[in-house]
Amino acid sequence: MLASSCAPLLTKRFGMKHLLVLSSFTTFIFQGFLAGYFYLDSVQFDLHSFKWVPVSCIVLYLCFFSIGLGPLPWAVMAEYYSPRIKAKGSALTASLCWLFTFLLTKFFPVVSLNLGPAPCFGVFSAFCVLSTLYTIWILPNTTGMSLDQIQRLLCGRNSYE
């Protein structure tokens, strides 16, 4: 909750794109540590001195998720949809987001029991890498831009035609 409450202040100071990069990269790191920990556990490596790692990784993952990947995609969606399609586009996007969240929540225990937690967290980590790369290379930085400027940027126009 504390991390989520910091998100607006951090966004104002650093911008959405920078916060999304930080959030997706750090979630990749913590998911990767979890995958590594559970892999070592599955091959009977002595992790007695490292029992704190999973809880620490999950807490840090949640903190960094809460300042970027959690709240900011909703703000990006609000900025990027033109007023003409904003209602339908937002409804479709939110529906898909919650559908995937439901499916992940429903099937994570089943997949984790059958494959083990290491592959699950490894896949999550890989998707965080993809999110980081997408944010760096494709997502435009709209800090300080008006809705009209953002729409012209997304349509590939720099000025009125």
Side-chain angles (χ1 to χ4, degrees):
M1 189 170 86
L2 181 61
S4 293
S5 64
C6 293
L9 299 172
L10 292 170
T11 302
K12 186 174 178 136
R13 179 162 169 83
F14 299 107
M16 276 194 282
K17 184 168 180 164
H18 292 102
L19 219 49
L20 282 168
V21 169
L22 173 69
S23 181
S24 57
F25 182 74
T26 54
T27 55
F28 146 69
I29 296 293
F30 296 123
Q31 295 286 342
F33 280 154
L34 279 170
Y37 178 89
F38 287 118
Y39 171 76
L40 291 173
D41 189 49
S42 72
V43 295
Q44 310 302 314
F45 191 81
D46 181 23
L47 294 169
H48 183 71
S49 300
F50 299 96
K51 291 292 182 188
W52 54 271
V53 169
V55 172
S56 298
C57 285
I58 290 171
V59 168
L60 290 168
Y61 167 86
L62 289 171
C63 288
F64 281 96
F65 179 85
S66 296
I67 64 167
L69 287 175
L72 294 182
W74 302 101
V76 168
M77 176 180 64
E79 274 191 356
Y80 286 20
Y81 282 134
S82 72
R84 186 173 54 81
I85 64 162
K86 189 173 285 200
K88 288 179 182 172
S90 296
L92 178 63
T93 303
S95 296
L96 286 172
C97 178
W98 288 113
L99 172 67
F100 289 130
T101 300
F102 168 77
L103 292 172
L104 179 67
T105 305
K106 175 85 173 142
F107 292 111
F108 174 79
V110 174
V111 174
S112 185
L113 282 174
N114 289 314
L115 298 179
C120 290
F121 287 112
V123 169
F124 294 160
S125 183
F127 275 103
C128 290
V129 168
L130 292 176
S131 173
T132 303
L133 296 175
Y134 174 84
T135 304
I136 291 170
W137 290 332
I138 297 173
L139 192 73
N141 188 356
T142 59
T143 302
M145 295 176 107
S146 68
L147 178 62
D148 185 54
Q149 290 171 320
I150 293 168
Q151 291 302 306
R152 286 186 288 150
L153 173 70
L154 294 175
C155 291
R157 299 186 312 255
N158 291 326
S159 61
Y160 289 105
E161 295 175 354

